[in-house]
Amino acid sequence: IHFPIVQQSLVQMVGFMANVLYATSGIEREVSAMVQYGIKAKKICASCTDFTPWAECYQDFCGADAYGHDATVSGLLLLPVDASGDVLSGLLKGSTWNHGSVANTAFAPSERWGTTDDSVLFQILLSSNGYVGISPDYLGYGDSYEYFKSFLVKKAYQTSFVPLWLKAQQIIATETSCQSELANDVVVTGYSEGGFAAVAISDAMHCMGVNVIKMLVGGAPYQIASEQFLSMHDDIKNQKY
């Protein structure tokens, strides 16, 4: 299941980015040098049960024992387009921006596109420079809202992303009559909860045989069991607030 949300030309992208930067950060600057292409945005949906990839690790987060393996997960797919509005041809590297914590199940990338919400700002920047962008809504958000939100559960972020990556491969091949292909390379980014999600997704993509070019994360708990809880306990014990 996927449907077009909007398509923006290069000129429209420049205007959109300028508005978003001003609305979210009060930044007034020339953004034409920041973007190279227009983009086509789609809501994308898929399920673990749609695919049977070769990688054994797929069963770890998409097997029958994995929570949410039967869920229809959703996200935002951004495709870079040329001046004619066609998806760029050739091998296109992938990218993913993973959003921070939100409470409302509808406040997900696939539902917030076109607003001045900065949750997809970095993804827009990557995609307007020629990268295929996939921003997962996460399990419990978007089309999987009936499932539990699996906050800081590693496998849940993998379950919510990998099917979207595999679906994006199919969409790109179909829409371009195999003139374009999602490359076996990905840039993984995220902040706050999204930073934790990015680490989990990077691990899954690596075991799926995808080359993680770069991982950019910040403001997230990473070593929860081995470091963070112990550090929090020590701080409280020593009255370091």
Side-chain angles (χ1 to χ4, degrees):
I1 303 170
H2 59 94
F3 57 89
I5 297 177
V6 71
Q7 183 161 323
Q8 292 190 323
S9 68
L10 176 58
V11 173
Q12 290 171 320
M13 276 301 303
V14 170
F16 178 75
M17 288 302 302
N19 289 335
V20 170
L21 285 171
Y22 181 74
T24 59
S25 308
I27 297 174
E28 294 185 77
R29 58 170 293 183
E30 177 58 54
V31 298
S32 60
M34 299 172 64
V35 298
Q36 299 182 55
Y37 304 103
I39 59 172
K40 179 187 291 185
K42 294 175 175 290
K43 182 174 183 178
I44 181 175
C45 301
S47 173
C48 287
T49 58
D50 295 339
F51 308 98
T52 53
W54 59 268
E56 292 184 9
C57 66
Y58 188 74
Q59 296 303 314
D60 293 341
F61 45 81
C62 269
D65 294 333
Y67 180 73
H69 77 279
D70 55 346
T72 296
V73 294
S74 55
L76 179 67
L77 174 65
L78 300 180
L79 302 174
V81 298
D82 60 23
S84 299
D86 298 322
V87 177
L88 300 183
S89 60
L91 277 174
L92 302 175
K93 291 181 174 64
S95 65
T96 174
W97 165 257
N98 296 277
H99 65 82
S101 303
V102 293
N104 192 324
T105 56
F107 275 44
S110 70
E111 306 292 339
R112 300 287 287 168
W113 166 254
T115 70
T116 55
D117 188 349
D118 61 353
S119 65
V120 293
L121 175 60
F122 195 65
Q123 186 66 82
I124 294 170
L125 282 172
L126 284 169
S127 297
S128 65
N129 281 276
Y131 289 79
V132 172
I134 304 172
S135 291
D137 291 340
Y138 299 160
L139 192 64
Y141 296 86
D143 281 37
S144 64
Y145 68 92
E146 294 182 335
Y147 287 74
F148 290 114
K149 297 181 180 70
S150 301
F151 185 71
L152 299 185
V153 177
K154 178 180 178 180
K155 289 184 179 180
Y157 298 105
Q158 299 169 334
T159 301
S160 68
F161 179 79
V162 174
L164 299 183
W165 175 271
L166 298 173
K167 186 66 175 182
Q169 290 179 327
Q170 295 179 344
I171 291 174
I172 293 169
T174 300
E175 288 203 1
T176 66
S177 299
C178 295
Q179 297 302 303
S180 302
E181 181 182 349
L182 181 56
N184 207 40
D185 303 295
V186 64
V187 174
V188 184
T189 65
Y191 186 79
S192 186
E193 180 186 355
F196 182 90
V199 174
I201 288 170
S202 294
D203 185 54
M205 297 306 283
H206 177 72
C207 81
M208 291 283 292
V210 178
N211 177 33
V212 180
I213 306 170
K214 183 178 284 291
M215 183 177 67
L216 299 170
V217 299
Y222 303 114
Q223 295 176 297
I224 299 177
S226 62
E227 296 292 338
Q228 185 142 353
F229 284 158
L230 296 177
S231 177
M232 290 168 60
H233 172 268
D234 290 343
D235 285 347
I236 294 173
K237 179 181 178 180
N238 297 320
Q239 300 184 26
K240 293 173 59 179
Y241 306 119

